[in-house]
């Protein structure tokens, strides 16, 4: 039986805390395997932080005002489902190329929206 290679995490130190570095989409896709003890926070508020409020609202699946590990892992599942290259979500760009969309239903919806 072939040995499965584990993801190789890279860390950086911020203040007195070691944190996982999300360098590319493969780091994002490996998040479900990251030991919860290594997550910097187990929950964060959706308000009064320096992150786009709309993004936080979308991440907060149960609308409890907190982003928890399960909320992030749900987003990872969507990234895996919708993008051919998961690294696309780390790019700062005003648009996503249709060629990067991997889910047929999402691609069809995007094309309909652009046509309208």
């Amino acid at each position: 039986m072939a040995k499965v290679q584990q993801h190789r995490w890279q860390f950086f130190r911020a203040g007195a805390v070691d944190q996982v570095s999300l360098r590319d989409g493969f780091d994002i896709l490996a998040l479900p395997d990251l030991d919860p003890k290594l997550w910097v926070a187990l929950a964060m508020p959706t308000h009064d932080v320096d992150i786009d409020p709309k993004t936080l609202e979308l991440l907060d699946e149960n609308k409890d005002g907190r982003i928890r590990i399960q909320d992030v892992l749900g987003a990872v599942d969507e990234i895996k489902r919708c993008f051919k290259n998961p690294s696309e979500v780390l790019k700062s760009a005003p648009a996503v190329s249709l060629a990067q969309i991997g889910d047929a239903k999402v691609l069809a919806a995007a094309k309909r929206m652009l046509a309208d």
Side-chain angles (χ1 to χ4, degrees), residues 84-96:
K84 290 179 181 175
N85 177 356
S87 293
E88 286 297 307
V89 300
L90 296 175
K91 292 181 180 176
S92 180
V96 173

Side-chain angles (χ1 to χ4, degrees), residues 28-29 32 61 70-83:
I28 291 173
L29 295 184
E61 290 183 0
Q70 286 312 116
D71 295 320
V72 174
L73 295 180
V76 170
D77 287 341
E78 288 298 306
I79 290 167
K80 192 182 303 184
R81 182 178 67 80
C82 293
F83 287 89

Side-chain angles (χ1 to χ4, degrees), residues 29-89:
L29 295 184
L31 281 173
D33 300 326
L34 182 64
D35 187 328
K37 291 180 283 209
L38 296 175
W39 288 66
V40 172
L42 297 180
M44 69 169 276
T46 57
H47 301 291
D48 301 323
V49 292
D50 195 21
I51 299 175
D52 176 55
K54 184 64 176 167
T55 299
L56 294 174
E57 180 184 331
L58 290 169
L59 280 171
D60 185 11
E61 290 183 0
N62 65 359
K63 307 301 179 216
D64 68 351
R66 310 287 289 172
I67 305 298
R68 301 180 195 285
I69 290 176
Q70 286 312 116
D71 295 320
V72 174
L73 295 180
V76 170
D77 287 341
E78 288 298 306
I79 290 167
K80 192 182 303 184
R81 182 178 67 80
C82 293
F83 287 89
K84 290 179 181 175
N85 177 356
S87 293
E88 286 297 307
V89 300

